[in-house]
């Protein structure tokens, strides 16, 4: 008697049981995955637009000016206070470089 009642109530629609998981995936996509993909796309666009003479900051915190761009191995040569250093383009931080070049607010 108890088994028949339980089976009758538990045989609900599979869509209603999957709905919380689908909603959770949609929320994760719009709040985590999509912004990360957008940030990566902007970072690649920034790195491909680098030119000689740009002042930049690497992800390791080195400040410098681009002296040469080597397209064959996707690197840049940066002039710092200590000399010239060769870096991968991917090691140049878009966020730090834009903050470095932003005009300073005078108070």
């Amino acid at each position: 008697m108890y088994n028949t009642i339980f089976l009758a109530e538990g045989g609900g629609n599979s869509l209603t049981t999957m709905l919380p998981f689908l909603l959770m995936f949609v929320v994760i996509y719009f709040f985590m995955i999509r912004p990360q993909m957008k940030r990566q796309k902007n970072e690649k666009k920034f790195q491909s637009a680098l030119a000689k003479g740009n002042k930049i900051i690497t992800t390791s915190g080195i400040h410098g000016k681009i002296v040469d761009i080597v397209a064959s191995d996707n690197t840049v040569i940066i002039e710092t206070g200590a000399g010239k250093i060769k870096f991968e383009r991917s090691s140049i931080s878009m966020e730090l470089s834009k903050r470095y070049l932003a005009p300073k607010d005078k108070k």
Side-chain angles (χ1 to χ4, degrees):
M1 180 168 167
Y2 292 111
N3 288 340
T4 57
I5 293 172
F6 180 70
L7 290 176
E9 291 175 3
N13 191 356
S14 64
L15 180 62
T16 58
T17 59
M18 293 296 291
L19 190 61
F21 295 111
L22 292 173
L23 288 174
M24 189 169 51
F25 179 75
V26 168
V27 167
I28 288 173
Y29 176 78
F30 280 108
F31 286 108
M32 295 178 72
I33 298 171
R34 189 166 177 253
Q36 179 66 24
M37 290 180 356
K38 187 176 179 182
R39 190 175 312 121
Q40 287 176 346
K41 183 180 174 183
N42 288 340
E43 188 89 25
K44 281 202 179 280
K45 187 188 299 183
F46 170 78
Q47 290 169 356
S48 65
L50 290 173
K52 291 181 183 180
N54 286 5
K55 292 183 179 180
I56 51 94
I57 300 176
T58 64
T59 54
S60 58
I62 297 174
H63 294 235
K65 181 177 170 183
I66 297 178
V67 183
D68 193 21
I69 298 174
V70 183
S72 62
D73 59 353
N74 207 23
T75 59
V76 294
I77 299 174
I78 299 172
E79 184 178 13
T80 64
K84 294 181 181 178
I85 306 172
K86 189 174 188 178
F87 281 99
E88 293 287 326
R89 276 188 186 212
S90 61
S91 68
I92 297 172
S93 172
M94 175 184 70
E95 183 179 329
L96 293 174
S97 296
K98 285 188 176 181
R99 193 179 315 153
Y100 177 62
L101 295 174
K104 307 287 188 227
D105 290 335
K106 294 184 180 182
K107 293 182 179 182

